[in-house]
Amino acid sequence: MSSLQGYVDRRVLLILQDGRAIVGIMAGYDQKSNVVLSDSKERVYSPDEGVEEIPLGLYLVKGDMVVLIGEIDDALDAAVDLSTVRAEPIPPIRY
Amino acid sequence: MLIFSVFKTLTDQQVTVELKNDLSITGVLKSVDQFLNIRLDNIKVSDETRHPHMMAVKNCFIRGSVVRYVQLSAENVDTQLLEDATRREAMNQVKR
């Protein structure tokens, strides 16, 4: 069973079907990969500006919307100065 | 169910998963479940300059429904066995 066990209470990056990227602490999940994130922030990427972080607080994301959940290595993440990162946003899912 | 078993035999192998948002992620397959959700370790996104979003991510969970392709190395799959097994499964489904 490849579950989300092991991500609880960790800082995770959530990528959604519409291309949004949200970082937060995984508070809980269920069978359908519905996910609750606490202290979450959306990271908005743009090609001509640094990354903007928008605080969202406690978020429940429906499993249908989830593309990927990645565990963030805090040391690596702290080493990156987000204001210098220029990138296209992640494309949305196309079926 | 058959493909689920195939993936289970591929754990701890290096695979490349292409998602429906055109992201390609290479990593070591850690586990799979019945929805073909995939856990990858030691991941690397191809074209990292274009996709720096996952720089700080080392292992991830990918939802089965967003996977477009999984690239496997040919030597890890017994194609003849797989061919026979898929045909047998297809036959059984017709009978039912």
Side-chain angles (χ1 to χ4, degrees), chain A:
Chain A
M1 183 66 195
S2 136
S3 73
L4 291 164
Q5 213 169 24
Y7 289 139
V8 176
D9 289 335
R10 302 286 177 87
R11 278 229 308 152
V12 293
L13 169 76
L14 199 71
I15 295 178
L16 304 185
Q17 301 241 3
D18 56 6
R20 282 195 282 176
I22 298 175
V23 293
I25 295 158
M26 168 94 82
Y29 69 90
D30 71 4
Q31 274 306 315
K32 292 167 142 179
S33 53
N34 299 319
V35 172
V36 180
L37 293 182
S38 70
D39 205 15
S40 56
K41 298 184 184 81
E42 180 178 348
R43 284 187 180 170
V44 183
Y45 289 84
S46 77
D48 33 44
E49 245 178 282
V51 178
E52 190 187 352
E53 277 204 326
I54 300 166
L56 301 173
L58 188 66
Y59 236 51
L60 187 148
V61 181
K62 266 217 84 171
D64 313 344
M65 287 295 291
V66 173
V67 169
L68 177 149
I69 299 172
E71 184 184 349
I72 293 179
D73 184 317
D74 281 318
L76 280 177
D77 194 48
V80 180
D81 183 2
L82 283 178
S83 63
T84 64
V85 175
R86 304 275 187 280
E88 290 287 343
I90 297 170
I93 292 283
R94 306 283 317 253
Y95 287 99

Side-chain angles (χ1 to χ4, degrees), chain A residues 13 70-73 76, chain B residues 43 53-60:
Chain A
L13 169 76
E71 184 184 349
I72 293 179
D73 184 317
L76 280 177
Chain B
I43 61 161
H53 317 76
M54 313 233 305
M55 266 188 300
V57 176
K58 284 284 125 253
N59 64 79
C60 71

Side-chain angles (χ1 to χ4, degrees), chain B:
Chain B
M1 230 34 200
L2 182 71
I3 300 302
F4 175 39
S5 314
V6 172
F7 276 121
K8 276 199 289 192
T9 67
L10 291 168
T11 46
D12 294 319
Q13 312 279 7
Q14 177 124 330
V15 297
T16 302
V17 181
E18 184 182 320
L19 307 184
K20 288 178 185 165
N21 57 10
D22 294 335
L23 232 63
S24 278
I25 302 170
T26 307
V28 179
L29 187 68
K30 271 301 155 200
S31 61
V32 198
D33 66 15
Q34 78 262 37
F35 308 113
L36 304 187
N37 296 330
I38 294 174
R39 278 282 295 260
L40 289 183
D41 246 11
N42 229 326
I43 61 161
K44 216 166 164 50
V45 179
S46 32
D47 202 355
E48 253 186 342
T49 44
R50 227 160 65 87
H51 302 293
H53 317 76
M54 313 233 305
M55 266 188 300
V57 176
K58 284 284 125 253
N59 64 79
C60 71
F61 165 94
I62 299 168
R63 199 160 196 274
S65 62
V66 300
V67 174
R68 186 180 289 142
Y69 304 120
V70 181
Q71 296 175 31
L72 320 161
S73 57
E75 62 262 33
N76 294 332
V77 186
D78 185 339
T79 17
Q80 192 59 52
L81 190 74
L82 185 59
E83 188 181 308
D84 292 346
T86 45
R87 288 184 183 179
R88 219 175 305 121
E89 177 138 308
M91 286 288 272
N92 287 339
Q93 265 161 20
V94 172
K95 270 186 221 149
R96 252 185 256 141

